[in-house]
Coordinates of all heavy atoms in Angstrom, one line a residue:
Q96 N 2.4 38.5 97.7 CA 1.5 38.2 98.8 C 0.3 39.1 98.9 O 0.4 40.3 98.6 CB 2.3 38.3 100.1 CG 1.5 37.8 101.3 CD 2.4 37.7 102.5 OE1 3.6 37.4 102.4 NE2 1.8 37.9 103.7
S97 N -0.8 38.5 99.2 CA -2.1 39.2 99.2 C -2.0 40.4 100.2 O -1.4 40.3 101.2 CB -3.2 38.3 99.7 OG -4.4 38.9 99.8
N98 N -2.5 41.5 99.7 CA -2.6 42.8 100.5 C -1.2 43.4 100.8 O -1.2 44.4 101.5 CB -3.4 42.6 101.8 CG -4.8 42.3 101.5 OD1 -5.4 42.9 100.6 ND2 -5.4 41.4 102.2
S99 N -0.2 43.0 100.1 CA 1.1 43.6 100.3 C 1.2 44.8 99.4 O 0.5 44.9 98.3 CB 2.3 42.7 100.0 OG 2.3 42.3 98.6
A100 N 2.0 45.8 99.7 CA 2.1 47.0 98.9 C 2.6 46.6 97.5 O 2.2 47.2 96.5 CB 3.1 48.0 99.5
S101 N 3.6 45.7 97.4 CA 4.1 45.3 96.1 C 3.1 44.6 95.3 O 3.0 44.8 94.1 CB 5.4 44.4 96.3 OG 5.0 43.2 97.1
H102 N 2.2 43.7 95.8 CA 1.2 43.1 95.0 C 0.2 44.1 94.6 O -0.3 44.1 93.5 CB 0.6 41.9 95.7 CG -0.5 41.2 94.9 ND1 -1.8 41.4 95.1 CD2 -0.3 40.5 93.8 CE1 -2.5 40.8 94.2 NE2 -1.6 40.2 93.4
N103 N -0.3 45.0 95.5 CA -1.3 46.0 95.2 C -0.8 46.9 94.0 O -1.6 47.3 93.2 CB -1.7 46.8 96.4 CG -2.4 46.0 97.4 OD1 -3.0 44.9 97.1 ND2 -2.4 46.4 98.6
A104 N 0.5 47.2 94.0 CA 1.1 48.0 92.9 C 1.2 47.3 91.6 O 1.2 47.9 90.6 CB 2.5 48.5 93.4
L105 N 1.1 46.0 91.6 CA 1.2 45.1 90.4 C -0.1 45.2 89.6 O -0.1 45.0 88.4 CB 1.5 43.7 90.8 CG 1.7 42.7 89.7 CD1 3.0 42.9 89.0 CD2 1.6 41.3 90.3
I106 N -1.2 45.4 90.3 CA -2.5 45.3 89.6 C -2.6 46.4 88.6 O -2.4 47.6 88.9 CB -3.6 45.4 90.6 CG1 -3.5 44.2 91.6 CG2 -5.0 45.4 89.9 CD1 -4.4 44.3 92.8
D107 N -2.9 46.0 87.3 CA -2.8 46.9 86.2 C -4.2 47.2 85.7 O -4.9 46.3 85.2 CB -1.9 46.2 85.1 CG -1.5 47.1 84.0 OD1 -2.3 48.0 83.6 OD2 -0.4 46.9 83.5
E108 N -4.5 48.5 85.7 CA -5.9 48.9 85.2 C -6.1 48.6 83.8 O -7.3 48.6 83.3 CB -6.1 50.4 85.5 CG -6.0 50.7 87.0 CD -7.2 50.1 87.8 OE1 -8.3 50.1 87.3 OE2 -6.9 49.6 88.9
R109 N -5.1 48.4 83.0 CA -5.3 48.1 81.6 C -5.9 46.7 81.3 O -6.5 46.4 80.3 CB -3.9 48.2 80.8 CG -3.3 49.5 80.8 CD -1.9 49.5 80.3 NE -1.0 48.6 81.0 CZ 0.2 48.4 80.7 NH1 0.8 48.9 79.6 NH2 0.9 47.6 81.4
I110 N -5.7 45.8 82.3 CA -6.3 44.5 82.2 C -7.7 44.5 82.6 O -8.1 44.7 83.7 CB -5.5 43.5 83.1 CG1 -4.0 43.5 82.6 CG2 -6.1 42.1 83.0 CD1 -3.1 42.8 83.5
K111 N -8.6 44.2 81.6 CA -10.0 44.2 81.8 C -10.7 42.9 82.0 O -11.8 42.8 82.5 CB -10.7 44.9 80.5 CG -10.1 46.2 80.2 CD -10.3 47.3 81.2 CE -9.9 48.6 80.7 NZ -9.4 49.5 81.7
T112 N -10.0 41.8 81.6 CA -10.6 40.5 81.8 C -9.5 39.5 81.7 O -8.4 39.8 81.3 CB -11.7 40.2 80.8 OG1 -12.4 38.9 81.2 CG2 -11.1 40.0 79.4
A113 N -9.7 38.2 82.2 CA -8.8 37.2 82.1 C -9.5 35.8 81.8 O -10.6 35.6 82.3 CB -7.9 37.0 83.3
V114 N -8.9 35.0 81.0 CA -9.3 33.7 80.6 C -8.2 32.8 81.1 O -7.1 32.9 80.7 CB -9.6 33.5 79.1 CG1 -10.0 32.1 78.8 CG2 -10.6 34.5 78.6
V115 N -8.6 31.9 82.0 CA -7.5 31.0 82.6 C -7.9 29.5 82.4 O -9.0 29.1 82.8 CB -7.3 31.3 84.1 CG1 -6.6 32.6 84.2 CG2 -8.6 31.3 84.9
F116 N -7.1 28.8 81.7 CA -7.2 27.4 81.5 C -6.4 26.6 82.5 O -5.2 26.8 82.6 CB -6.7 27.0 80.1 CG -7.4 27.4 78.9 CD1 -7.4 28.7 78.5 CD2 -8.2 26.5 78.2 CE1 -8.1 29.2 77.3 CE2 -8.9 26.9 77.1 CZ -8.9 28.3 76.6
A117 N -7.1 25.8 83.3 CA -6.4 24.9 84.3 C -5.3 25.7 85.1 O -4.2 25.2 85.2 CB -5.8 23.7 83.6
P118 N -5.7 26.8 85.7 CA -4.7 27.6 86.4 C -4.1 26.8 87.6 O -4.9 26.2 88.4 CB -5.4 28.8 86.9 CG -6.8 28.4 87.0 CD -7.0 27.4 85.8
W119 N -2.8 26.7 87.7 CA -2.1 25.9 88.7 C -2.0 26.8 90.0 O -1.9 28.0 90.0 CB -0.7 25.6 88.3 CG 0.1 24.8 89.3 CD1 0.1 23.5 89.4 CD2 0.9 25.4 90.3 NE1 0.9 23.1 90.5 CE2 1.4 24.3 91.1 CE3 1.3 26.6 90.7 CZ2 2.3 24.4 92.1 CZ3 2.1 26.8 91.8 CH2 2.6 25.7 92.5
G120 N -2.1 26.1 91.2 CA -1.8 26.7 92.4 C -2.7 26.5 93.6 O -2.3 26.4 94.7
M121 N -4.0 26.5 93.4 CA -4.9 26.4 94.5 C -4.7 25.1 95.2 O -4.8 25.0 96.4 CB -6.4 26.5 94.0 CG -7.4 26.6 95.0 SD -7.3 28.1 95.9 CE -8.8 28.1 96.8
N122 N -4.4 24.0 94.5 CA -4.3 22.7 95.0 C -3.1 22.6 95.9 O -2.9 21.6 96.7 CB -4.3 21.6 94.0 CG -3.2 21.8 92.9 OD1 -2.8 23.0 92.7 ND2 -2.7 20.8 92.3
V123 N -2.2 23.6 95.9 CA -1.0 23.6 96.8 C -1.1 24.8 97.8 O -0.1 25.1 98.4 CB 0.3 23.6 96.0 CG1 0.5 22.3 95.3 CG2 0.4 24.8 95.1
G124 N -2.2 25.4 97.9 CA -2.4 26.5 98.9 C -2.0 27.9 98.5 O -1.8 28.7 99.3
A125 N -1.8 28.1 97.2 CA -1.4 29.4 96.7 C -2.4 30.5 97.1 O -2.0 31.6 97.4 CB -1.2 29.4 95.2
W126 N -3.7 30.2 97.1 CA -4.7 31.1 97.4 C -5.7 30.5 98.4 O -5.7 29.3 98.6 CB -5.5 31.6 96.2 CG -4.7 32.1 95.1 CD1 -4.2 33.4 95.1 CD2 -4.2 31.5 93.9 NE1 -3.4 33.6 94.0 CE2 -3.4 32.4 93.2 CE3 -4.4 30.2 93.4 CZ2 -2.8 32.1 92.0 CZ3 -3.8 29.9 92.2 CH2 -3.0 30.9 91.5
D127 N -6.5 31.4 99.1 CA -7.6 31.0 99.9 C -8.8 32.0 99.6 O -8.6 32.9 98.7 CB -7.3 31.0 101.4 CG -6.8 32.3 101.9 OD1 -7.0 33.4 101.3 OD2 -6.1 32.3 103.0
K128 N -9.9 31.8 100.2 CA -11.0 32.7 99.9 C -10.7 34.1 100.1 O -11.1 35.0 99.3 CB -12.3 32.3 100.7 CG -12.9 31.0 100.2 CD -14.2 30.7 100.9 CE -14.7 29.4 100.3 NZ -16.1 29.1 100.8
Q129 N -9.9 34.5 101.1 CA -9.6 35.9 101.4 C -8.7 36.4 100.3 O -8.9 37.5 99.8 CB -8.9 36.0 102.8 CG -8.6 37.4 103.1 CD -8.0 37.5 104.5 OE1 -7.8 36.6 105.2 NE2 -7.6 38.7 104.8
S130 N -7.7 35.7 99.9 CA -6.7 36.2 98.9 C -7.3 36.3 97.5 O -6.9 37.1 96.7 CB -5.4 35.4 98.9 OG -5.7 34.0 98.5
L131 N -8.4 35.5 97.3 CA -9.0 35.6 96.0 C -10.0 36.8 95.9 O -10.5 37.1 94.8 CB -9.8 34.3 95.7 CG -8.9 33.1 95.5 CD1 -9.8 31.8 95.5 CD2 -8.2 33.2 94.2
Q132 N -10.2 37.5 97.0 CA -11.1 38.6 97.0 C -10.5 39.8 96.1 O -11.2 40.7 95.8 CB -11.4 39.1 98.4 CG -12.2 38.0 99.2 CD -13.5 37.6 98.5 OE1 -14.4 38.4 98.2 NE2 -13.5 36.3 98.1
G133 N -9.2 39.7 95.9 CA -8.6 40.8 95.1 C -9.0 40.7 93.6 O -8.7 41.6 92.8
L134 N -9.6 39.6 93.1 CA -10.0 39.5 91.7 C -11.2 40.3 91.6 O -12.3 40.1 92.2 CB -10.3 38.0 91.4 CG -9.1 37.1 91.4 CD1 -9.5 35.6 91.2 CD2 -8.1 37.5 90.3
R135 N -11.1 41.3 90.7 CA -12.2 42.3 90.5 C -12.6 42.5 89.0 O -13.4 43.3 88.7 CB -11.9 43.6 91.2 CG -11.7 43.4 92.7 CD -11.7 44.7 93.4 NE -11.2 44.6 94.7 CZ -11.9 44.3 95.8 NH1 -13.2 43.9 95.6 NH2 -11.4 44.2 97.0
I136 N -11.9 41.8 88.1 CA -12.3 41.9 86.7 C -13.0 40.6 86.3 O -12.9 39.6 87.0 CB -11.0 42.0 85.9 CG1 -10.1 40.8 86.0 CG2 -10.3 43.4 86.2 CD1 -8.9 40.8 85.1
P137 N -13.9 40.7 85.3 CA -14.6 39.5 84.8 C -13.6 38.4 84.5 O -12.5 38.7 83.9 CB -15.3 40.0 83.6 CG -15.4 41.4 83.8 CD -14.2 41.9 84.5

Side-chain angles (χ1 to χ4, degrees):
Q96 187 170 328
S97 182
N98 294 318
S99 67
S101 55
H102 181 256
N103 291 340
L105 179 74
I106 299 169
D107 192 325
E108 296 297 320
R109 298 173 299 176
I110 299 170
K111 306 297 189 213
T112 190
V114 178
V115 290
F116 288 78
W119 179 88
M121 186 71 168
N122 57 332
V123 295
W126 302 283
D127 58 20
K128 286 187 179 187
Q129 182 179 356
S130 64
L131 291 170
Q132 296 306 298
L134 292 173
R135 300 192 192 278
I136 59 172

